[in-house]
Amino acid sequence: MTLFRQLYSLLFGLFLLVITSLAYVQFTETKSFLSNQMESDLNNVSNSLGLLLVPALESGDIATAETLINVIFEGGYYQQVKLTWLVDGKQQEWNNSLQIKDVPQWFIDFGIFGTIKKETTITSGWLQLAQLEITAHPGFGYHELWRILTNTIIVFSILFLVTIFLARFGLSWILKPLHILSVHAKSVANRQFGPELAVPKTQELREVVTAFNSMSVQLKQIFSSLDEEVTSLRKKNLVDQVSNLPNRQYLVGRLNSWLSEPGSGAMFMAKFDWLEEVHAKYGYQVRDETIKLLSEKLQSQLEEIAPGVVARIAAFEFAFLVFDVDKELISKYLQTLIRTVNQEISKAGGKANEQFAIGIAERIGSMTASDMLAQADNALQNAIKSGKVYHWFESNEEQLFTREQWREKLSSAINAKLFQFRWQPIQLSDGAGLLQRELYCQLEIGDKLAHAGQFMPYVELLSLGSVLDKCLIQKVNDIHLLTRNFEPLAINLTHQSLTDTEFHQWLQQFLRSTPLAERLCFDIPESGVYSNPEACEALCAIIRDNGARFGIDHFGRQFGSMSYLQTLRPAYVKLDQSFAYYDENQHNAELCRALVNVAKGLEIQVIVTGIQEKPQLERFIPLKTTAYQGFIAPPVAVD
């Protein structure tokens, strides 16, 4: 029971006790007063009637005596009158069958008033003439007592209702700081730290609120320090200090993560010898400043072409990863890169298309990070030897379709829901079963079955992401996939769905209409959170408010603050696959441990991805992560 209800109940009980006590006192006093009044009235009537009857009794005039008694008897509340003539013993009796009006019979049946009688001997001098006995009728007492009690109950009821209302309002006003404190405490429990609470005027509450504000500030500082630790470790271990670009260690981890998932793209490796000439002419300070300006230009110009990573891997060497693009976009990316470099060379006083070389390697089939790095480096060396600006190792694989053919065929296949599904179990680390299953899909395009690595680049390129997600979710519902297992089903959302308000509205209607919303999980890429936090927050609110769950995929991949976890409050995070071999590098191990601690501190489940074998999994035991997934338990076809 809440404190408000306890105090309210106490006041209610005390007031009820007071009202009952007052009602009891009022009842007993009124009863005593009415009894005394009826007895006094009976005495007066008995004395008066005795004096009036003396002449009639002396003369033996029975008619006159009866007349006098009838006048008195009919004009008051008397139940019986008995007159006994002492001369001859004759007895006369008058009875009244008076009905008590406006008083319920059950009240009369209580017998509150007893029988009140008055016996009087009528004398004339020393001569006793008659014996007079009068019995009072209780109707007057019942009538007056009922009237007084009903009026008292009405007044007390009105007073009771007014007092209870005022008590409720007063308690709400007095305990308002406690209610605010309770709401704030729930927010803090969810690791949401708002502004400090206003200190109330009540002394006791002031001390509680002050202590709570102090605790809240300390907790906020703890989580801020964890976030700062992650940022510091990233900057120290994964960022080149001169260019502020990712370094070689980050590039290799990201490359491993990218190649472990279906996808397409290319890797560029560039060597800028003109930077060495800048160093020789102007010194290392000018060289470092030139590198910094070049890095800023490369990032701003290339991000507009395609998503990717720009890294500095050596003194004068840079590497570029481009994800989910076709050859046309790779070519455009290369042209933009060359143009940007030439602009910076001109600013440094050099000649265009001189003293730099670029090697390009396309992603072909199943490649390892070593394969990709070796092929890009070979392409770079070929460019240097031949004196060309770039050398491109193009894939010999023929593209299935042109871009417009992809648009037509993808739109047709997606709208027809020609999906084939596989799902991968996500095992609980304590061996207690499955946390969820992650869903993967393939598309039947014509007479071929295309895997995600083939069609997803074109889905993103042609802005078909929200259509794909919508049709995929509908297909899952149509084939009753959620009823086949008790574990929740995790579905990856595309970047377009994160920002598409129409998809948000559709998803809200879908979740409201399905009785199995609690079995749905949605994986949101961390890059989408950083690119549009407001849209992601709106989508996450829809998912959470309608009973489904969501998590952050590729957690730890992006550079930036982890404060979005407090805002979005995901149910789980999936560590980026670049951390799968975290113990092979001590610095990476520190960063991985810090990321896990940040999530666990916010009571968010941590799922390790990219686990291939048991020894690899055992390295994560000290971190106490929630679950794991990878080819240690590969995806299986959904029958």
Side-chain angles (χ1 to χ4, degrees), residues 352-405:
N353 295 327
E354 291 186 5
Q355 293 185 304
F356 76 94
I358 303 171
I360 307 104
E362 283 190 68
R363 178 176 175 178
I364 306 168
S366 299
M367 299 179 69
T368 65
S370 299
D371 296 337
M372 200 76 176
L373 287 168
Q375 193 173 113
D377 186 61
N378 287 335
L380 175 61
Q381 298 305 320
N382 284 336
I384 294 173
K385 289 179 182 179
S386 60
K388 297 179 180 178
V389 173
Y390 69 90
H391 183 84
W392 186 342
F393 275 135
E394 296 190 61
S395 169
N396 293 325
E397 292 183 355
E398 293 184 4
Q399 290 192 355
L400 291 177
F401 311 107
T402 64
R403 182 182 295 190
E404 289 306 313
Q405 287 176 328

Side-chain angles (χ1 to χ4, degrees), residues 169-232:
F169 177 79
L171 280 177
S172 299
W173 182 76
I174 293 172
L175 297 178
K176 184 178 180 180
L178 279 182
H179 174 70
I180 297 174
L181 184 64
S182 174
V183 173
H184 198 70
K186 291 177 181 177
S187 298
V188 171
N190 291 326
R191 309 304 189 266
Q192 294 177 297
F193 303 102
E196 290 189 7
L197 298 175
V199 179
K201 297 180 180 180
T202 308
Q203 181 63 35
E204 292 79 0
L205 294 179
R206 179 184 301 175
E207 295 175 358
V208 173
V209 170
T210 302
F212 186 85
N213 281 339
S214 177
M215 180 192 69
S216 179
V217 169
Q218 292 177 17
L219 285 174
K220 186 176 181 179
Q221 289 176 346
I222 290 173
F223 289 108
S224 296
S225 65
L226 284 174
D227 190 17
E228 290 173 1
E229 180 185 357
V230 171
T231 303
S232 176

Side-chain angles (χ1 to χ4, degrees), residues 449-465:
L449 190 63
H451 56 77
Q454 292 174 303
F455 67 80
M456 279 307 298
Y458 292 95
V459 168
E460 297 286 357
L461 186 64
L462 300 172
S463 300
L464 296 174

Side-chain angles (χ1 to χ4, degrees), residues 423 437 479-487 519 638-639:
W423 53 22
R437 294 175 184 268
I479 63 175
H480 308 291
L481 200 56
L482 297 177
T483 62
R484 300 194 187 186
N485 292 281
F486 293 107
E487 303 88 18
R519 292 193 187 177
V638 177
D639 295 333

Side-chain angles (χ1 to χ4, degrees), residues 579-639:
F579 295 103
Y581 298 94
Y582 80 98
D583 69 329
E584 294 179 2
N585 183 288
Q586 185 60 34
H587 300 306
N588 207 21
E590 294 176 4
L591 178 57
C592 182
R593 189 177 296 109
L595 286 169
V596 171
N597 288 337
V598 168
K600 288 170 61 179
L602 297 171
E603 297 183 355
I604 298 171
Q605 296 174 326
V606 179
I607 300 172
V608 183
T609 62
I611 300 298
Q612 312 298 334
E613 52 191 15
K614 191 171 182 180
Q616 184 184 6
L617 175 63
E618 291 173 351
R619 301 186 189 109
F620 284 89
I621 292 177
L623 298 184
K624 295 182 169 54
T625 54
T626 309
Y628 62 92
Q629 74 176 112
F631 275 85
I632 192 171
V636 295
V638 177
D639 295 333

